Amino acid sequence: LLKKMLRYSLPMVLIGFAGIVNEMLDRMSLKYLLPGTPHQNLAALGIYGACYKLSVIMNLFIQAFRYAAEPFFFAHAAKSNSRKVYADVLLYFTIFCVFIFLMVMLFIHYFSLFIGNDFRAGLGVVPILLFANMFFGIYTNLSIWYKLTDRTLSGAMVSLAGAVLTVVLLLLLVPKMGYEGAAWATLACYIFMAVVSYFLGQKYFPVPYDVVRVVGYMVLGGAIYFIHKNVGWFTWHPNVAAIGLLLVFVGIVFVLEKKNLQSVRG
């Protein structure tokens, strides 16, 4: 029994270590990788760290979801419809994450009040970091394949590969792009981990995820944010425009998911 426990749990230590690298290394390394003077680098780190806090709203939801999701996934593993349930969970998880993304970005003029005026120069990284956290949450959903099939060592390899990618991209992007490069490195890492985990999961523990719908809702959220940011007549009254676009997203979700929600409820 001890051998089985160690074989399952020791790779989880590597997964945790890689997770810390992916989550923390961008902020820890900026002052060393940025091309400016030490004072300039610390100032840039302060801006990035302050704007990073605005993406924590997404991260708080993901952490709360993780506490409930893993016991749920294990409890339903033996049920005949478990894989369909896992697919539905990912779909509605993504919808809610896109809603959080839009809520923050459409009302960024309010959320930015949580950070000082001197730090708002870095608000451009907030949508990148929100999407990065969204992909981390998607990876969390997809990672059930190695937990339910006792392939935690394979899961550790995915996490370590993501950590290596994070290090490489930070070294390449931060000296050229500044702290924005750190945000893009985080996003690229979590996209990579989610994609690799999806394909490995389909090999070892196939789940009928509706990839088109999941990706479609993320594209829809990005498109609504792009319209809000770039179409001039939406700026005449930011609150009205933001509420209207948020309702457009909710309305589209309701129309597309009405039948599915009724079947789930039934």
Side-chain angles (χ1 to χ4, degrees):
L1 180 61
L2 180 61
K3 281 185 178 180
K4 289 182 179 180
M5 291 174 61
L6 292 176
R7 193 181 306 119
Y8 184 91
S9 60
L10 284 179
M12 301 294 285
V13 177
L14 295 176
I15 292 171
F17 171 75
I20 292 173
V21 171
N22 293 331
E23 185 176 351
M24 301 295 297
L25 189 62
D26 55 347
R27 281 158 288 170
M28 293 174 62
S29 63
L30 277 180
K31 61 182 178 181
Y32 304 107
L33 296 178
L34 288 168
T37 65
H39 179 74
Q40 291 172 330
N41 291 353
L42 288 174
L45 175 59
I47 294 173
Y48 182 76
C51 293
Y52 196 98
K53 293 177 182 177
L54 298 182
S55 70
V56 168
I57 298 169
M58 179 83 75
N59 203 30
L60 287 174
F61 166 68
I62 292 169
Q63 293 300 330
F65 171 84
R66 289 177 67 188
Y67 286 126
E70 292 195 6
F72 174 84
F73 290 149
F74 279 100
H76 278 70
K79 296 185 178 181
S80 59
N81 67 335
S82 61
R83 303 192 189 207
K84 175 65 167 62
V85 171
Y86 298 155
D88 288 339
V89 169
L90 176 62
L91 176 62
Y92 296 120
F93 171 87
T94 304
I95 290 171
F96 200 80
C97 282
V98 174
F99 179 84
I100 293 174
F101 169 82
L102 290 174
M103 183 181 67
V104 174
M105 294 314 305
L106 297 182
F107 295 96
I108 193 65
H109 48 289
Y110 289 126
F111 284 97
S112 64
L113 297 176
F114 288 103
I115 61 176
N117 190 56
D118 294 338
F119 299 100
R120 294 173 194 167
L123 289 177
V125 303
V126 176
I128 304 171
L129 292 171
L130 285 170
F131 260 103
N133 280 315
M134 191 187 308
F135 272 100
F136 172 67
I138 291 172
Y139 163 74
T140 299
N141 275 270
L142 296 173
S143 65
I144 61 170
W145 66 269
Y146 69 77
K147 296 173 184 176
L148 295 179
T149 61
D150 293 345
R151 297 179 182 271
T152 52
L153 183 59
S154 298
M157 293 301 103
V158 175
S159 295
L160 289 173
V164 171
L165 181 63
T166 296
V167 173
V168 172
L169 290 179
L170 286 173
L171 292 172
L172 291 176
L173 297 181
V174 172
K176 295 180 180 180
M177 301 175 63
Y179 54 74
E180 187 174 327
W184 284 113
T186 303
L187 175 59
C189 166
Y190 288 139
I191 290 176
F192 166 79
M193 290 172 61
V195 171
V196 172
S197 190
Y198 170 77
F199 284 108
L200 287 175
Q202 294 306 100
K203 179 180 179 180
Y204 296 114
F205 189 80
V207 174
Y209 296 115
D210 194 336
V211 177
V212 173
R213 245 184 170 86
V214 168
V215 174
Y217 281 122
M218 288 191 287
V219 172
L220 175 63
I224 291 174
Y225 165 64
F226 179 84
I227 291 170
H228 181 262
K229 184 179 179 183
N230 292 283
V231 177
W233 55 273
F234 275 113
T235 61
W236 71 275
H237 198 301
N239 291 338
V240 173
I243 293 171
L245 289 172
L246 202 58
L247 289 176
V248 166
F249 175 75
V250 173
I252 292 173
V253 170
F254 178 78
V255 170
L256 294 179
E257 300 301 326
K258 184 177 180 181
K259 288 185 178 179
N260 202 14
L261 286 171
Q262 288 174 342
S263 65
V264 170
R265 192 184 311 150

